[in-house]
């Protein structure tokens, strides 16, 4: 980084405070200076950068497009700094632990085991975000339980559960004595988690596309499995989450893809704050105690 041409951190801090607060007075209160000092710092920053960051033409001050871009970058950068400082000093010990994972993993693996963690660590507050979209680990979440091959640049990943991906349906929708080839399945209704493309990927392996008349329902993982058991569609899911359904005959195994990898515990590298360390150790112990890592 070229530090000589870098704007003063005090000016960037003042601008970030103004972007966060609606007025100069409130921005000054955030960092303990007067509104005049905030105004002076912002003008100095604009002069150094040669860019207008604040629109002063209206009744109220507003950010320009360039100002909004800088404000977003500062929010992310200062936010990450604040997180690391809190972790290193231990001042974030009471902050809830934010866990991101898919709805399927949350309902099929994490929640059934969670009472044990709560019993061992009753003082740790948890926020579980069951979303198919990947969150920014370190900024939007403290830890992730992600499906993939373990290769996420800039992050540390440790295997929790290796599971093949299977295509399943209820016996009522796909009877044992009926056809279950991919061409037949392409004509049936399908179920899929939002933000995923497992159905398309499965059919493309066989050179097929889903017929429009078959219909698609996108819904969270636990609801997707309920719908599959009810015969509302064919689903693609990790085998680990339907073992009991397959054994009880509620779902039929139609196809299996063993090329996929598994679920990983994903964190930022470095020292983990105590609540995160406790959760990570517990998850990995659960993985070691489970019925084998390959399912």
């Amino acid at each position: 980084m070229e530090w000589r041409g870098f704007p003063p951190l005090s000016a960037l801090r003042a601008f970030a405070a103004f972007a966060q607060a609606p007025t100069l007075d409130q921005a000054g209160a955030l960092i303990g200076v007067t509104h005049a000092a905030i105004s002076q710092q912002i003008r100095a920053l604009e002069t150094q950068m040669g860019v207008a960051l604040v629109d002063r033409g209206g009744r109220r001050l507003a950010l320009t497009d360039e100002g909004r871009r800088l404000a977003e970058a500062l929010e992310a950068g200062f936010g990450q700094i604040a997180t690391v400082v809190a972790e290193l000093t231990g001042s974030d010990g009471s902050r809830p632990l934010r866990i991101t994972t898919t709805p399927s993993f949350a309902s099929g693996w994490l929640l059934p085991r969670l009472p044990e963690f709560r019993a061992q660590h009753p003082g740790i507050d948890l926020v579980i975000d069951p979303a198919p979209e990947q969150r920014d680990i370190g900024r939007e979440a403290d830890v992730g339980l992600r499906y993939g091959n373990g290769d996420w640049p800039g992050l540390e990943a440790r295997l929790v559960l290796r599971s093949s991906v299977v295509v399943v349906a209820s016996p009522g929708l796909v009877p044992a004595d009926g056809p279950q080839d991919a061409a037949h399945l392409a004509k049936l209704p399908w179920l899929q988690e939002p933000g995923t493309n497992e159905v398309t990927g499965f059919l493309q392996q066989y050179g097929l596309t889903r017929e429009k008349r078959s219909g698609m329902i996108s819904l969270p993982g636990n609801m997707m499995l309920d719908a599959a058991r009810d015969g509302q569609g064919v689903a693609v899911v990790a085998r680990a989450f339907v073992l009991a359904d397959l054994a009880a005959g509620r779902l039929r195994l139609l196809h299996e893809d063993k090329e996929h990898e598994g679920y990983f515990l994903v964190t930022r590298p470095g020292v983990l704050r105590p609540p995160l360390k406790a959760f990570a150790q517990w998850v990995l112990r659960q993985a070691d105690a489970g019925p084998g890592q390959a399912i």
Side-chain angles (χ1 to χ4, degrees):
M1 179 179 290
E2 180 53 58
W3 287 105
R4 292 183 179 181
F6 202 78
L9 290 178
S10 58
L12 294 173
R13 179 169 171 257
F15 177 74
F18 170 72
Q20 181 180 345
T23 67
L24 290 173
D25 285 331
Q26 293 183 33
L30 286 177
I31 59 176
V33 300
T34 65
H35 75 277
I38 293 286
S39 180
Q40 183 180 5
Q41 291 277 20
I42 293 175
R43 288 188 181 276
L45 183 61
E46 290 176 314
T47 299
Q48 179 172 354
M49 295 181 62
V51 174
L53 302 173
V54 177
D55 182 359
R56 299 173 175 84
R59 296 181 59 184
R60 300 185 62 179
L61 300 180
L63 298 181
T64 63
D65 290 342
E66 293 80 4
R68 280 190 290 272
R69 287 185 60 192
L70 179 60
E72 291 172 359
L74 291 176
E75 181 183 7
F78 283 139
Q80 183 64 26
I81 292 171
T83 298
V84 173
V85 169
E87 290 174 355
L88 294 177
T89 60
S91 63
D92 67 340
S94 61
R95 179 171 62 82
L97 184 64
R98 301 166 299 169
I99 304 164
T100 177
T101 187
T102 64
S104 293
F105 192 86
S107 62
W109 192 93
L110 180 59
L111 290 180
R113 293 168 170 79
L114 205 54
E116 179 182 324
F117 178 80
R118 301 294 299 139
Q120 295 175 6
H121 304 279
I124 297 179
D125 294 335
L126 303 176
V127 175
I128 300 175
D129 179 16
E133 302 84 6
Q134 290 191 1
R135 304 303 192 199
D136 185 345
I137 305 298
R139 187 169 67 89
E140 297 179 304
D142 299 302
V143 58
L145 292 161
R146 289 183 177 176
Y147 190 84
N149 60 9
D151 183 18
W152 291 284
L155 298 174
E156 290 187 353
R158 285 163 285 184
L159 182 65
V160 174
L161 174 68
R162 192 179 301 282
S163 176
S164 60
V165 171
V166 294
V167 179
V168 296
S170 73
L173 182 64
V174 185
D177 57 354
Q180 63 181 55
D181 57 280
H184 172 72
L185 297 179
K187 302 175 183 178
L188 298 177
W190 283 83
L191 306 168
Q192 180 172 269
E193 282 197 279
T196 65
N197 60 357
E198 282 91 348
V199 173
T200 299
F202 167 73
L203 294 175
Q204 284 180 344
Q205 294 179 30
Y206 298 90
L208 299 170
T209 57
R210 182 176 55 84
E211 295 192 7
K212 291 185 178 180
R213 65 179 181 178
S214 64
M216 169 79 78
I217 302 178
S218 295
L219 66 174
N222 56 330
M223 297 176 64
M224 179 182 71
L225 291 179
D226 286 340
R229 298 179 188 110
D230 195 41
Q232 296 186 40
V234 184
V236 183
V237 65
R239 180 174 182 140
F241 304 149
V242 293
L243 290 176
D245 292 296
L246 295 174
R250 291 186 293 266
L251 293 173
R252 290 193 56 223
L253 176 63
L254 306 177
H255 291 272
E256 183 169 8
D257 180 3
K258 296 184 178 180
E259 296 300 319
H260 288 71
E261 292 296 335
Y263 283 87
F264 290 78
L265 177 82
V266 185
T267 60
R268 284 282 180 188
V271 178
L272 305 182
R273 66 188 183 100
L276 176 52
K277 183 178 181 180
F279 180 77
Q281 291 176 339
W282 173 79
V283 166
L284 295 175
R285 285 197 302 269
Q286 293 295 310
D288 293 338
Q293 288 190 333
I295 297 179

